[in-house]
Amino acid sequence: MNMPDIRKIMSENKIFAKKNYGQNFLTDFRVIEKIIAAAQLSSQDSVLEIGAGLGSLTYSLAEHAYNTVAFEIDTRLSEMLKENFSADKNVEIISQDFLTADLNKYENYKIIANLPYYITAPAIFKILEEGKGIKNAVLMVQKEVAQRILSRPNTPDYGAMTVSVSYYGNTELVANVPPNCFVPRPNVDSSVIKITPKKRTLNSEEEKLFFTIVKASFSKRRKTLVNALSSFSELNISKIRATELINQAGLDLNIRGETLSTKDFENLAKLLK
Ligand code: SAM
């Protein structure tokens, strides 16, 4: 496995990790191996990496994939990587904020990232909403966020994030990663998750309703679904309509949003259209 010596690169080049860019560089090759294995990378795959840093993952991606496009916002790091990969035609380093990237340019690729945690939610939703033909996304996130994404109905972690991500794809835990696998050590535990996109079942009008219903249901967790939906101004439905909707969906009138599955929410969006 191809792995740069991060501590040495940092000390030789006087690089101090920037907290505001979420720079916690991976130094444990066993974690990198797990990420590569989870993505099921083959020499035919194209990969898009978010936040290449000092290349902890990028070197392994270059070794396993057909080609790699890696975004890095910190120009000092991206310039170093550009130089190091200048002879490798299969690696393209892009000095850009990933959140402003035009994902229409890429198709049929895998996404790999040790995400800067401050952009976790926008980066995940950008991938899922804008990405075309993504085969899978293997992402290092804060453990607490992984628990929310992977949780089940009727548990405290279950919420809008769980339902929204699971609408787009199947989710699984790859590994839990302790702080000592990074330099500098983050203050939180981390987890690698894998998202495998699935076919979207709603049209755009229904999708809009779906996300509004999800938002309404979890913004008032303690309320019954009837009350949560009818009191959410964005939805603009009466209590009578909300009752009728829940009856049509075959759900109990006393039910609360946190007990509904993603399929139940999809069904409600279709019925409300
Ligand atoms: N991939 C490297 C690794 O595993 O060691 C670095 C991971 S570090 C957690 C996150 C990286 O994302 C940092 O290098 C940081 O500069 C970069 N980054 C932060 N915000 C970014 C953004 N909006 N777009 C692209 N890269 C970003």
Side-chain angles (χ1 to χ4, degrees):
M1 178 76 58
N2 215 336
M3 162 109 210
D5 185 338
I6 298 298
R7 287 185 183 81
K8 194 164 160 229
I9 299 175
M10 289 179 80
S11 77
E12 281 179 1
N13 296 281
K14 298 199 168 43
I15 289 171
F16 302 97
K18 290 181 182 153
K19 228 177 170 177
N20 59 328
Y21 279 157
Q23 291 179 351
N24 298 98
F25 305 114
L26 251 175
T27 51
D28 190 323
F29 78 93
R30 288 164 303 181
V31 177
I32 294 170
E33 280 181 329
K34 283 184 192 167
I35 292 173
I36 303 286
Q40 296 168 297
L41 273 195
S42 83
S43 54
Q44 269 110 59
D45 282 324
S46 295
V47 176
L48 204 149
E49 185 188 0
I50 306 165
L54 291 165
S56 298
L57 283 160
T58 325
Y59 286 91
S60 292
L61 300 178
E63 191 182 321
H64 287 87
Y66 173 67
N67 73 331
T68 302
V69 174
F71 286 85
E72 174 52 59
I73 201 169
D74 185 337
T75 41
R76 170 128 198 248
L77 307 187
S78 60
E79 289 311 315
M80 278 176 67
L81 283 179
K82 277 182 190 173
E83 207 175 306
N84 293 344
F85 283 108
S86 57
D88 193 335
K89 296 272 167 292
N90 295 339
V91 178
E92 185 187 359
I93 308 291
I94 302 183
S95 306
Q96 191 186 338
D97 176 350
F98 172 73
L99 297 179
T100 66
D102 178 6
L103 296 188
N104 283 317
K105 288 185 192 160
Y106 312 98
E107 248 177 89
N108 296 322
Y109 51 94
K110 294 181 174 175
I111 299 204
I112 294 195
N114 170 12
L115 280 176
Y117 294 162
Y118 77 103
I119 62 162
T120 303
I124 290 180
F125 287 109
K126 181 178 175 75
I127 294 166
L128 295 173
E129 282 162 18
E130 298 172 27
K132 280 191 183 155
I134 294 174
K135 292 179 183 162
N136 61 45
V138 178
L139 310 169
M140 177 88 71
V141 298
Q142 223 174 297
K143 188 175 182 183
E144 184 205 308
V145 174
Q147 284 168 337
R148 277 198 269 144
I149 291 175
L150 301 168
S151 64
R152 299 267 156 256
N154 244 334
T155 61
D157 286 330
Y158 189 69
M161 179 96 172
T162 325
V163 178
S164 306
V165 174
S166 86
Y167 167 67
Y168 289 109
N170 296 317
T171 54
E172 62 192 278
L173 176 69
V174 174
N176 289 320
V177 184
N180 62 8
C181 294
F182 305 85
V183 165
R185 291 174 181 219
N187 296 327
V188 292
D189 282 327
S190 305
S191 298
V192 177
I193 58 165
K194 177 176 176 179
I195 306 173
T196 310
K198 60 189 183 196
K199 201 171 174 333
R200 281 149 78 163
T201 53
L202 304 176
N203 63 34
S204 58
E205 187 193 347
E206 292 164 346
E207 272 186 6
K208 220 170 146 234
L209 277 171
F210 170 86
F211 289 111
T212 314
I213 292 170
V214 170
K215 208 160 115 192
S217 306
F218 290 103
S219 64
K220 309 268 168 56
R221 282 183 89 100
R222 296 284 125 213
K223 284 193 178 184
T224 60
L225 188 60
V226 178
N227 286 335
L229 297 184
S230 57
S231 64
F232 198 70
S233 59
E234 237 180 278
L235 263 180
N236 195 21
I237 60 170
S238 66
K239 199 162 178 176
I240 294 171
R241 180 73 186 102
T243 307
E244 190 183 82
L245 179 72
I246 289 161
N247 276 330
Q248 275 177 320
L251 298 169
D252 191 303
L253 272 183
N254 294 319
I255 209 164
R256 280 187 297 187
E258 62 193 359
T259 66
L260 266 61
S261 68
T262 304
K263 272 269 157 277
D264 290 328
F265 283 111
E266 288 177 29
N267 198 18
L268 287 174
K270 281 185 184 154
L271 288 168
L272 189 58
K273 193 177 56 160

